[in-house]
Amino acid sequence: MKPIRFYLAMILARFSYIVLKILGKNATQFPGVIAMKVCPNILRYLEVSDKVIAITGTNGKTTTTNMIASFLTAQGIDLVANNLGSNIEGGIISALLNSTTFFGRNHKEMAVLEVDERSSPYIFPYINPDIIVITNLFRDSYKRNADVEFILSILEKSIPKSSLLILNAEDPLSSNLCKDNPRKYFSIAPQEFEEEVSDNIIKDLVYCPSCGNKLIFDFNRYHHIGFVHCERCDYASPTADYLIWKIHEDQIIIKEGNNYYPYQSEASRITDNYNKIAVISVLREMGYNHEDIANYFNKIKVVSSRYSETIVKNKRVISMLAKAQNPVANSLAFDFIRKQKSWGSISLILMNETYTHKQNFNSIENMAWIYDADYEYLNIPSIKKILCMGQHNLECKIRLLFAGIDEDKIQLLEPSYSLDITTDTDTTIIIHGAKNIAVARQFKDMLVRRIKDEN
Amino acid sequence: MKIEILFGEVCSLYGDHGNIMFLEKTFGKNNINKTSILETPKFITEKIDLIYMGAMNEKTQAQVIDKLLPFKDILLEKLDNGLKALFTGTAMDILGKTIVEENGTTLEGLNIFDFETRIKKRPRLNCAIYGLYKNIPIVGHKTQFTQTFGDNSENYFIKVQKGMGINKNTNLEGFIYKNLIATNITGPLLIMNPQFSENYLGVEIPYKNLLLAAQNKRIKDTNLVKDVFY
Ligand SMILES: [Zn+2]
C-alpha cells in the first residue's frame, strides 16, 4: 500500500510536467524535485524496469549513457533514459515518472540512467542496477565532491552486491571498488606513437591501494590513468576483458579474448575512445555481438555538444567543452590543443567560470581549481593570444602568468553575450563549461560569420 | 629562505598547489624542498625557514599525524626559534587535540592547540571568506566537512566579516602560535592575499599590482552577494 503522499506527489509532479511542456521548458529535473518535496522517499514506491543500467564516474557519463541508450532504442527496446543530463535525485525521479503509470507501475522494458556519483546512495539501493559502469574517478567540484576518497567511500557503500561492474582497468581508484561484485574491465592499449603524460600537477592516486608503496607507472596516459604495478606487493592493473588494441586513422580494433573486431572511428580524443570501449563492454555483456554494435555506430554519428569544429576560408573555429570546476577535463583539453600539429597560429578564449558571459552575484565562485589544472600546457609558441572572459578574468590571467605565459599574449574580456575579437590567427578555440554551451555555440557561429564576411 | 613543502602529493586537495607555485616563483625552485609522505621531514634535521602543508582527506590526516607525532617536540622548539609554518585547509585540524568522526571514532591530533574538530558529512560547508589579519584584508574559500571547537580568542588568525570562523558560531578563524599560522581557508591563499604574503614572508612578491586588483575585485564581490555560503 502506497501512502497518500505518494499519490499527491504523482499528481503535482505530473501536473508540473505538463505545464513545463506547454511552456516549452525542460522538464528533466523539476517534476522529480516536486515529487521528492512532497514524498521524500518516493523512489521506494516507483517501480523500475526489469533491466537497469546505470552509468556513473567523474568524466564521460553523459556521452556513455547517450550511446548506450541510442543503440538499445535502435534495437527496438522501449526504454527510459535521463539522457539530457539530469543525473541527481530530481532527474532520476523525473525519468522514472516517465516510465511508470500513475500508480507507480513500470511500463518500460529497460532503464538507462546516468547517476551522479555523489547522489548514488540515494539512488542505487532503489533502482538496483543490473549493470553499473564507472567511467573513471578524479577530483571534481570541491564543493560537491570533496575528494576522491569521499566519493570512493560513497560508492563502496551504495553499490548493490549483485550489480555487474564495468570498470576502467586503467583507473586504480575505481577499478578496486566493491571487490566482491562481479566485474569486467575495459582499457586502451598504449599505442606505438602515443606519448605519455606524466607532468600533470595533480595525481589523485600516488600510492599503492594495497600496501601504500609508491606505484610504478608502466604507461601513464594522463593523471593517475594508466598501467601500474607495485614493487612491494603484487598489485597491478587488472587485465582488460575488452580492449582497444589498435587505434588507426579511421578505425579502431577491439580485442576480446583472442579475437579482433574492427570498428570505424574518426580520429578522436582519447576520452572518446574510453567512452566507446565502455559502451561496447556493456553491450557485449548484454549479449549483442560486435558486428551489430559496429554496424550501428558506423552508421550513426554521435552528436556531440562537447566538440565542434568548422573550417571556413582556411580558418578553423572550434568550441570545446571542459567542465568548469573540473581540473582534469580542462587539463585534457589543454593537452589535446598542445598536441595538434596542423592548427597553425592559435587564439584561445577561456570561459573558465560556471557562468562567464553574465555577471553572477548569486554566489562567489571558488576559482582555486585552476591551480590544479595544467595551464602550463598552453605555454607554447603556436598560441598567440589567450582571452579570459568572465567576472574572475583577472584571476585567470594571474594563473596564466604563473604558467609562464607572456603577459602580452593575455587579454581580458568582460562577461558578455557578444564576442568582439579579431580573427587573425589560423585557429580560434573557445573552451567553455557545461553552463556555457549555448553561448559558446553562439560565439562560434559569430566568429564563423565574421570570417565569411571578411574580404 | 629555505622552504619545505610537506607531503604535497597528498596534501593539495583544493587548489593549494597555487601556494606552492607562488613560493616557487617568489623564492626560486632551488629553494623549495618537496618532501613526500614516505620521507622524513627535512625541517627536523636541516635549516628550514618555512614549512607549508595544504588540505588533505581524513585518511591522510591519520598518516600525517603518525608521521609528525614523534617529532612534535622538535617542531615546537623550531617554532620557538622562529620557524614559519603555514597550514591551510584541513591541515589545520591535525594541530588540534582530536578529530572526531560522526560515529564517534576519534583521532588524536598533535595537540599543539587546544581544539577539537568534528566531522559531519552532510551538508558539506562551502563559503567565501573575507576578514582581517591585523589590518590586512584576507579573502578566500572554505570547503570542508568540519567545524572546529576551542578558544582562539587570544590567538586567532583573522576576524571574519563574511563567512565563518572555526565554527558557525564564531567569527574568529584559525590559530596562531609565534610564526605558525593554521587556517581552514583553502586554495591559493598566498596568491589571493598579496599584502598578507608580503607581510608574512617578508619579501617583494611577483605580480603584486595584479594580485591586489584581483583581491579588491573579490572584496567588492563579497560585499555584493547576499550570502557567501553556497
Ligand atoms: Zn603494493
Side-chain angles (χ1 to χ4, degrees), chain A residues 46 66 118 163 176 240 242 253-254 291 352 355 414 445:
Chain A
L46 286 173
N66 290 350
R118 176 84 168 81
S163 300
N176 284 301
Y242 302 100
I253 312 286
I254 308 287
E291 289 69 27
N352 275 150
Y355 294 99
E414 290 303 310
D445 294 344

Side-chain angles (χ1 to χ4, degrees), chain B residues 89-147:
Chain B
T90 49
M92 177 186 103
D93 309 346
I94 67 154
L95 298 171
K97 251 178 21 195
T98 47
I99 301 170
V100 185
E101 283 182 56
E102 273 167 297
N103 63 10
T105 311
T106 300
L107 179 67
E108 304 283 331
L110 293 180
N111 203 4
I112 288 175
F113 296 111
D114 185 16
F115 67 74
E116 176 170 291
T117 297
R118 294 176 203 152
I119 299 173
K120 190 164 177 275
K121 289 280 158 100
R122 215 170 147 98
R124 184 165 169 80
L125 283 170
N126 295 285
C127 69
I129 295 280
Y130 168 60
L132 291 176
Y133 163 73
K134 299 167 188 170
N135 278 318
I136 298 173
I138 299 285
V139 296
H141 283 264
K142 286 190 174 193
T143 179
Q144 61 197 56
F145 290 121
T146 58
Q147 295 192 61

Side-chain angles (χ1 to χ4, degrees), chain B residues 1-4 23 48-51 83-85 200-201:
Chain B
M1 185 120 130
K2 284 272 171 209
I3 296 165
E4 181 172 24
L23 292 169
I48 296 288
D49 304 294
L50 166 71
I51 54 175
L83 171 71
K84 290 179 182 171
Y200 182 62
L201 300 170

Side-chain angles (χ1 to χ4, degrees), chain A residues 118 122 139 142-143 146-147 149 201 207 361 364-366 368 371-372 391 394-395 398-399 401, chain B residues 9 12-15 17-18 21 37 57 59 122 124 126 141 143 191 207 210 217-218 221-222 225:
Chain A
R118 176 84 168 81
Y122 314 102
R139 78 180 63 179
Y142 305 154
K143 169 190 161 183
D147 73 299
E149 277 301 325
I201 294 167
Y207 297 112
F361 290 115
I364 299 212
E365 189 158 349
N366 185 352
Y371 289 91
D372 281 347
Q391 214 166 310
L394 200 49
E395 293 181 13
I398 290 166
R399 175 68 187 91
L401 292 173
Chain B
E9 81 284 14
S12 255
L13 287 186
Y14 305 122
H17 277 287
M21 284 180 204
I37 188 81
N57 62 38
K59 206 162 112 184
R122 215 170 147 98
R124 184 165 169 80
N126 295 285
H141 283 264
T143 179
I191 292 177
Y207 314 123
L210 278 176
K217 168 83 170 106
R218 279 225 166 235
D221 291 353
T222 313
V225 293

Side-chain angles (χ1 to χ4, degrees), chain A residues 225-237:
Chain A
I225 299 296
F227 298 86
V228 297
H229 74 272
C230 175
E231 282 181 347
R232 190 159 76 190
C233 70
D234 60 357
Y235 180 79
S237 303

